[in-house]
Amino acid sequence: MKFVTCPSLGRRALSEFTFGGRVEKETDQEAVSEREWAEYVFYHNGAPKTQQEWWYHRPTGIWFLFQRNTLTDSITQVDFANKGLTNDA
Amino acid sequence: MPLRLLKYAWKKSEDEPRFFPEEKPLKTSYDVVIIGGGGHGMACAYYLAKEHGITNVAVLEQGYIGGGNTGRNTTIVRSNYLTSEGVKFYDESLKLFEDLSTDFDLNIFYSTRGHFTLAHTDSAMRTMRWRAEVNKHHGIDSEVVDVDTIQKEVPYMDMSCNGQHPVMGALYHAPGSVARHDAVAWGYARGAQMRGVEIHQKTKVSDIKTKSGKVVGVQTDRGFIEANSVVSMVAGSTPRITEMLEIETPIEIFPLQACVTEPVKPFMDTIVVSGSLHVYVSQSSRGELVMGASVDPAELHSTRSTLDFVEGLTDQMMDLFPFTSRLKIMRQWAGMSDITPDFAPIMGKTDVDGFYLDAGWGTWGFKATPISGKTMAYTVANDRPHELIKPFSLDRYANFELVGEKGAASVGH
């Protein structure tokens, strides 16, 4: 089983988390062209890399941001998605 | 065959002809370079040579023939999809599959089993009726069947699913089949080689070179190769290839795992799938239960296996077939699925002249092997997309013309 160490929660099984996709800067839907909107919604460079991702901890309902490498599956950084939170768990 | 085998056993010498001819030395130039020596790549090479007379073709494979997703799937062939585009495409594939053994003069163990897609909820039943109607409209043999019919065909299944999520009915697809997946790649490979195509294993493409928007060749670990046309048929490695040309796609890679049990006596001659439980199972000709589930929960470019997968799958399997609790898992493995947002492939031309893409095969690639090869060969030979693959172009996302195929393996809907 794979484990991840979170701020305030400590060492938790990764199976307690749900993957929420990679973090992307949302473009302004009203301001961009349809093509640019499609670029944002669909197209990306999917090659292996380290990326920032949304992960939801189901038991506590807290969203986290992980830095994870999509080739090695190693998680190098874990942050609260909502920076204001420190000890919600 | 048995008599020939007996004769061979008594012979002193081993003068059987090689299955594949000796590999030729790598040339510095080809008309067409196909990246990826799996089923799709081999089928494309085969049809390029057979139907279009293009034989100055090299298939470059970083590993060995059929060692990627071709050898990692659960070998199911069917055409009971949800969209008209999908149904038409996969039905052509199924028809080609039925004649492959004769075409290749090689037994691909094509075995028509009948395919049940179980429904455990009202909404799943609604989708089954929808799929059955779309299928019938296109002349595909599909129908919604009741619980008694399923029980009669699959007597060992617990229709109440341990009381958790009772089976309410199923979509039954009589032409649903299984085939020896390696043999499909081998048959196409040998057929292509006999017609002059070269297959180069352990040859990795590290870059694709272009000149004023047109492909001029590929850089490999065995040197540079000039080519007018380059076809990428690499499934799970697609993003690594498209990155070389700075082509962006909606493809995300998720591992798809599968496993087999120890062999047992034949007890199930049908294929059973449950979209709601995310499992599918069939019994191989060796007696093993071949089982698969949905893709892993997070993006990953890896073929590692996990215990989480086996735990999740067996938990569901034991609800369907309680006696499987006594079976041992013999092997497990994973392949890299190139998943698209609409569960349909990406096929055809790209913005780079001379570069063709055959990707987005997610969990539905094996059954498309013959038709993918045939339509891509047409597309490369004529430099225009085949009629059947027009709905699957890469720019459909930019035009918001998604295919919406939810009939893919173990997609819950």
Side-chain angles (χ1 to χ4, degrees), chain B residues 240-302:
Chain B
R240 304 183 207 199
I241 296 290
T242 49
E243 189 183 36
M244 297 171 188
L245 293 167
E246 294 177 356
I247 292 175
E248 297 204 329
T249 72
I251 290 169
E252 284 179 345
I253 306 299
F254 287 82
L256 179 66
Q257 302 192 48
C259 60
V260 294
T261 66
E262 58 189 322
V264 288
K265 280 185 178 174
F267 71 96
M268 188 172 69
D269 59 358
T270 55
I271 304 159
V272 174
V273 178
S274 169
S276 310
L277 303 187
H278 302 291
V279 294
Y280 37 98
V281 58
S282 65
Q283 193 173 18
S284 77
S285 47
R286 286 188 294 241
E288 305 153 343
L289 290 186
V290 183
M291 305 184 290
S294 50
V295 295
D296 280 14
E299 208 183 326
L300 186 66
H301 300 256
S302 169

Side-chain angles (χ1 to χ4, degrees), chain A residues 10-58:
Chain A
R11 192 166 176 265
R12 309 301 310 177
L14 192 68
S15 56
E16 292 180 5
F17 294 80
T18 300
F19 177 59
R22 64 184 172 277
V23 176
E24 274 187 289
K25 194 170 169 289
E26 188 173 329
T27 52
D28 180 1
Q29 192 179 355
E30 301 301 324
V32 298
S33 68
E34 286 209 342
R35 176 77 210 194
E36 286 166 313
W37 181 246
E39 294 283 345
Y40 159 69
V41 176
F42 296 116
Y43 297 92
H44 65 109
N45 175 357
K49 58 180 166 298
T50 299
Q51 61 185 20
Q52 199 173 36
E53 298 170 335
W54 295 99
W55 284 82
Y56 180 68
H57 186 244
R58 291 188 305 277

Side-chain angles (χ1 to χ4, degrees), chain B residues 90-108:
Chain B
Y90 291 104
D91 189 46
E92 280 302 315
S93 205
L94 202 143
K95 285 176 190 155
L96 287 170
F97 257 115
E98 288 170 349
D99 297 329
L100 279 190
S101 290
T102 321
D103 281 2
F104 296 161
D105 191 20
L106 174 73
N107 192 353
I108 65 158

